[in-house]
Amino acid sequence: MNFDALIKDIQDNHWNVHGMEIYEDGRLIHQYGHTIGARFPIYSATKTITSIAAGMAWDQGKIDLEQSILAYLPSETVSQMPAEQIAAFREVTVRRLLTMSVSSFPFRPQGESYLNFSLACPIPDVQARTFHYSNIPAYLVGVALTQAVSEDLFQYLNRNLFTPLHIENPVFQRYPDGYFYGASGMELSVHDLSQIGLLLYHGGVYEGRRIVSEEYVKMASDVQQTNREGGYGFFLWKYRDGFRISGKWKQKCYILPAKKLVVTYLSHIEEESCGLTASMEKHIISQL
């Protein structure tokens, strides 16, 4: 592992990396930049937090992954849906949303009611289980969890996840319906996101406390849906012999249990460049 060479690449290439942490066997061994205190947008890395919420609710018997999403949405909203939409969404299970395997959603919900917009989206071939990335599945899972746990989802997360992980008052967004937006909108520090990664690295245990079951973590991090990137779990991406949390402008947490490694960095790099990833792989992963 050559951490200094990675940092030199970051500085020489002027990559806008806010901060980075590297953990080996659960122990912090390297850090760079702003890692504690300063918070930055994590964009779609928020989806992984929604997945963990689903896992905790599943462990508690409050949500069934094989059940239609309609079973966990407000009944007054479902009752107003056209018959053809109800028929289609009856086939959309919580699991299918977690795996992004509904093929026709637009990228994000819009309008004054994200819930009504999402449930009005046509699903021409509901049986087609192809990977299709969208913010709508995570939003719908978040709404469903709010109903399933009978509590505001952020409050549920704050009590059951953030507080045990010592993540204090994370920034989050609500959207027009008032629900926690499970797809994006959070801000965390590098260190905060590392704690999420460490929880998953340890199979759902943090500082000796079981937060989410090992069974759920295994399902969430295994390939549940194939795609061009190597596979997708429950709002987690397959990566080499491990998996990763990912946001759109290169917010990353790589969890590699076989190498006993967790690598977290928050960045804002809008260019379609693989330079930072390639440098991290060259100087950190490939040398282990």
Side-chain angles (χ1 to χ4, degrees):
M1 184 183 300
N2 191 340
F3 187 70
D4 290 341
L6 171 58
I7 299 309
K8 185 175 187 304
D9 279 353
I10 290 171
Q11 295 171 342
D12 289 351
N13 288 282
H14 305 289
W15 291 324
N16 187 21
V17 177
H18 304 309
M20 177 180 293
E21 289 185 338
I22 297 180
Y23 291 78
E24 189 172 54
D25 201 17
R27 181 176 61 89
L28 179 63
I29 59 169
H30 293 294
Q31 57 186 330
Y32 164 79
H34 301 290
T35 61
I36 297 176
R39 283 179 166 157
F40 306 95
I42 63 169
Y43 298 101
S44 285
T46 305
K47 293 180 176 71
T48 298
I49 293 170
T50 301
S51 175
I52 294 171
M56 294 188 296
W58 181 72
D59 292 340
Q60 295 165 353
K62 294 182 177 180
I63 198 163
D64 180 351
L65 304 184
E66 312 308 328
Q67 182 65 266
S68 167
I69 190 68
L70 294 183
Y72 302 105
L73 298 181
S75 58
E76 62 273 18
T77 301
V78 173
S79 67
Q80 295 173 16
M81 293 169 62
E84 64 273 15
Q85 287 298 99
I86 291 176
F89 273 88
R90 278 194 185 124
E91 303 299 316
V92 177
T93 63
V94 177
R95 178 185 290 270
R96 288 194 63 189
L97 293 173
L98 287 167
T99 58
M100 299 281 185
S101 60
V102 179
S103 62
S104 55
F105 288 131
F107 179 68
R108 60 173 63 90
Q110 302 174 28
E112 295 182 0
S113 171
Y114 280 14
L115 184 55
N116 288 339
F117 177 93
S118 299
L119 295 177
C121 291
I123 309 177
D125 186 1
V126 73
Q127 300 302 328
R129 296 176 182 250
T130 56
F131 183 77
H132 180 75
Y133 193 83
S134 165
N135 281 354
I136 287 177
Y139 171 72
L140 287 175
V141 170
V143 175
L145 287 168
T146 299
Q147 304 299 311
V149 302
S150 302
E151 182 180 3
D152 178 80
L153 184 56
F154 177 76
Q155 298 303 323
Y156 178 81
L157 279 164
N158 201 44
R159 188 178 70 257
N160 293 289
L161 179 66
F162 299 135
T163 296
L165 269 58
H166 312 299
I167 299 174
E168 297 182 359
N169 303 314
V171 177
F172 73 103
Q173 291 184 0
R174 297 184 189 278
Y175 277 74
D177 305 278
Y179 293 105
F180 172 83
Y181 187 42
S184 187
M186 290 201 73
E187 295 181 16
L188 296 177
S189 69
V190 174
H191 188 72
D192 292 338
L193 187 57
S194 288
Q195 305 320 296
I196 301 293
L198 288 167
L199 171 69
L200 298 174
Y201 172 83
H202 289 294
V205 172
Y206 186 86
E207 294 183 345
R209 174 178 173 179
R210 171 68 62 190
I211 305 295
V212 62
S213 68
E214 185 174 15
E215 182 181 2
Y216 183 84
V217 172
K218 186 176 187 328
M219 289 193 298
S221 58
D222 279 349
V223 175
Q224 300 288 345
Q225 178 66 42
T226 57
N227 60 19
R228 293 180 303 174
E229 290 79 10
Y232 198 73
F234 295 162
F235 299 154
L236 282 166
W237 298 84
K238 181 66 177 174
Y239 176 78
R240 297 194 173 197
D241 58 356
F243 52 99
R244 63 179 166 87
I245 304 168
S246 187
K248 71 174 179 178
W249 302 133
K250 298 177 177 59
Q251 300 83 38
K252 306 287 186 184
C253 181
Y254 298 92
I255 300 103
L256 299 165
K259 293 185 179 295
K260 300 184 178 181
L261 196 67
V262 173
V263 179
T264 306
Y265 54 81
L266 296 181
S267 315
H268 190 93
I269 303 172
E270 298 187 21
E271 299 79 13
E272 292 297 324
S273 168
C274 298
L276 177 56
T277 300
S279 180
M280 185 276 296
E281 291 175 338
K282 174 182 177 181
H283 297 302
I284 304 301
I285 295 176
S286 66
Q287 296 190 27
L288 290 178

